[in-house]
Amino acid sequence: LRSLRPLDEELVLYSAASHQGLRGDPAAVYRKAREIAPRLRGVWVVRDAEVAAELPAGVAHVLLDSPEYLRLTARAKFFVNDVNWPGTLVKRPGSVHVHTHRGTPLKYLGADLLGKPGARLGFDVPQMLRRADRWDHSLVANRHSELVWERAYPCHFASARTGSPRNDVLVTRGRTDFRARHGIPADHTVVLYAPTRRDYVRGGHVDRIDLARFAADLGAGHTLVVRLHPALATGPARGMGLAELHRRGIVVDATGEPHAEEVMLASDALVTDYSSIMFDYANLDRPIVVHADDWAAYTASRGAYLDITAEAPGHVSHSYRELAWLFASGSWRDEESARLRADFRSRFCEFDDGRAAERVVRTLLLGESMPEPARVPGPAGAPDLLAST
C-alpha cells in the first residue's frame, strides 16, 4: 500500500560500508546536502542499535529491516550507497539510486569475478548484478573507473564524472586531529602502512612485513601508523598482533578509525601493496611506496585491471630489504618518486577537484547544472587508460 503512494521528493536514504554509519562518499554527500540543500531530509540506514548509538547528535536514522525502514524505503526518492541495498528492496519507478562505490578499482570485481572462483567465494555474482541493475548513477573519479565499472557491472546505469566526494577533504587539505588524539609528536614523519586482504589464504591476512622491525628501522622521529583492510578489523591479524604493538606504543593502530581520510591527512607518506587507498592518497601529492612482494600470487588469485608494479604512483619494493632501503636512503621522496606520482595523479585523480560532493547534490539530487570538474594537471600527451580485456 505504501508503494502506491507518491514518492517523497525530499527524502534521501543513505548507507555506507554495509550500514555501518556515516562513512565514505555517502557521508560527504550527506554533509554537503545539509549545507546547500537543507530542504532535503537525509536519513541513515544503520544495521543495529550499537551503530546508531555512535551517530553524531541530530542525525536521523532508521534500523535496517525495521517497520520504519520499510516505510521509508517504500517512498524515498533518492538512495545513496557505497555498497548495495538489500536484495529485498524494490526499486520504484521514479526513484533515483546513486552508487558511489568505494574507491578506484584495481582488483577484479562484479562479473569479472566469474573467472576467479577463489576470489568470489561467498559472493553470489548474479545477485550482485541484479542489485547493481537498480543503479541510476555510478560515480567515477577517473575514466579508468568509468570503463571498469561499465565492464564489471553491465547494467542499466549512467556514469557520473563527479569525482569522489570523500576525497574533497584531501584536495582541499582538510584538518584532522588524528595526531593529537594518538599522541603523535607534531614534528614526527608519519608513515601510513595500509595493506589489503589476500584471496589466496584462509582469513585473508598475510604478514608481509614485520611491523615492529619496520617501525624500528624507520628510526627516531618517525611514527608508523597501520590501517588493516576493513574485512580484517575483527580478525586475529589485529587482535593477536597489531593490537599488542599498539598497546606497547611501537605502532599506532588506525584500523578502527571510521574516516580513512583523517588518517591519510595526518600522514606524510603511504606504504601499501594493492589497496585502492593509493588512488585516494594520490590527491595529497605525498610520497607513495608500493610493496609488491607477492604480486604474481595476488593477480593469479584475484585478478587486476592494471599492472600496478609497472604503473605505480612511486617506487616499488619487492622485498623487505628493498622497502627498508627506500626509507633509509631517502629515495622514497626523491625526484623519481615525484615524477611517478605526477603521472599517476593525472590519470587517477582526474575528476577530483574538491567539489565532488557539491556536484552530486546539485546535479543528481537537485537537478541543477554545474561545471565539469577541473582536470588534474599532468604530463602533456598522457594516454587515456583503458580497462584491460
Side-chain angles (χ1 to χ4, degrees):
L1 290 176
R2 293 191 188 102
S3 66
L4 297 177
R5 298 180 62 191
L7 291 173
D8 186 336
E9 299 288 331
E10 298 181 350
L11 176 58
V12 187
L13 292 189
Y14 296 90
S15 181
S18 299
H19 319 299
Q20 294 188 61
L22 270 76
R23 301 189 181 194
D25 292 308
V29 174
Y30 168 77
R31 294 188 183 98
K32 184 58 66 172
R34 294 189 68 173
E35 175 188 335
I36 65 177
R39 66 179 178 82
L40 295 177
R41 182 164 65 96
V43 179
W44 281 84
V45 177
V46 296
R47 64 184 182 185
D48 53 36
E50 182 179 352
V51 174
E54 298 175 352
L55 295 175
V59 174
H61 66 276
V62 61
L63 297 184
L64 180 67
D65 292 332
S66 66
E68 183 67 4
Y69 163 84
L70 298 175
R71 185 181 73 81
L72 294 180
T73 54
R75 299 200 58 203
K77 170 72 173 183
F78 301 102
F79 294 78
V80 181
N81 203 337
D82 64 357
V83 182
N84 250 319
W85 296 99
T88 53
L89 191 153
V90 178
K91 185 179 190 299
R92 289 185 58 183
S95 64
V96 177
H97 284 234
V98 177
H99 194 76
T100 70
H101 301 284
R102 303 183 72 183
T104 293
L106 172 60
K107 60 188 177 183
Y108 276 10
L109 295 163
D112 290 325
L113 290 176
L114 290 172
K116 299 291 182 180
R120 72 169 190 268
L121 181 65
F123 290 95
D124 184 337
V125 175
Q127 174 68 355
M128 290 168 63
L129 297 181
R130 284 192 291 270
R131 294 180 179 185
D133 214 25
R134 297 178 301 197
W135 304 347
D136 292 287
H137 304 286
S138 167
L139 306 191
V140 298
N142 48 65
R143 280 171 284 185
H144 164 81
S145 295
E146 183 173 336
L147 291 167
V148 167
W149 295 135
E150 291 176 358
R151 160 183 159 157
Y153 297 98
C155 303
H156 298 89
F157 61 82
S159 295
R161 295 181 173 183
T162 58
S164 295
R166 72 177 188 276
N167 287 344
D168 287 348
V169 296
L170 303 181
V171 177
T172 60
R173 302 299 192 274
R175 305 176 71 176
T176 176
D177 64 348
F178 177 84
R179 289 196 182 207
R181 284 191 285 110
H182 290 277
I184 301 174
D187 61 344
H188 268 212
T189 297
V190 174
V191 177
L192 170 61
Y193 175 51
T196 191
R197 68 184 304 277
R198 277 22 180 212
D199 295 286
Y200 62 83
V201 294
R202 181 174 297 178
H205 178 74
V206 178
D207 287 320
R208 310 307 311 177
I209 295 177
D210 183 329
L211 297 178
R213 180 183 179 186
F214 188 32
D217 287 345
L218 286 174
H222 294 73
T223 296
L224 179 61
V225 175
V226 181
R227 183 177 176 85
L228 298 180
H229 188 278
L232 305 174
T234 59
R238 185 183 183 196
M240 296 178 64
L242 180 56
E244 175 62 15
L245 293 177
H246 176 84
R247 186 189 67 80
R248 292 162 56 190
I250 296 175
V251 304
V252 173
D253 178 12
T255 305
E257 290 285 331
H259 306 296
E261 305 80 39
E262 295 188 3
V263 185
M264 288 188 274
L265 283 166
S267 66
D268 299 294
L270 170 68
V271 176
T272 186
D273 37 37
Y274 325 118
S275 171
S276 63
I277 195 175
M278 72 178 78
F279 299 99
D280 304 318
Y281 197 86
N283 282 286
L284 291 171
D285 197 18
R286 298 173 187 173
I288 302 172
V289 174
V290 175
H291 186 58
D293 65 337
D294 65 340
W295 177 243
Y298 183 84
T299 53
S301 63
R302 182 62 190 240
Y305 294 110
L306 68 150
D307 184 352
I308 199 61
T309 64
E311 303 171 272
H315 290 295
V316 179
S317 60
H318 299 90
S319 66
Y320 178 76
R321 182 176 181 180
E322 291 182 7
L323 175 64
W325 179 86
L326 284 173
F327 280 91
S329 65
S331 300
W332 61 280
R333 53 182 176 185
D334 61 11
E335 292 184 3
E336 177 65 6
S337 172
R339 184 191 67 79
L340 293 169
R341 188 167 66 253
D343 288 347
F344 194 84
R345 290 181 66 242
S346 69
R347 297 168 66 182
F348 298 110
C349 302
E350 188 177 7
F351 305 134
D352 280 335
D353 64 350
R355 302 183 66 188
E358 179 185 0
R359 191 168 288 108
V360 172
V361 174
R362 292 195 184 280
T363 63
L364 304 184
L365 303 187
L366 299 179
E368 301 175 358
S369 60
M370 195 172 166
E372 290 288 323
R375 300 288 176 84
V376 173
D384 289 350
L385 179 66
L386 298 178
S388 60
T389 58

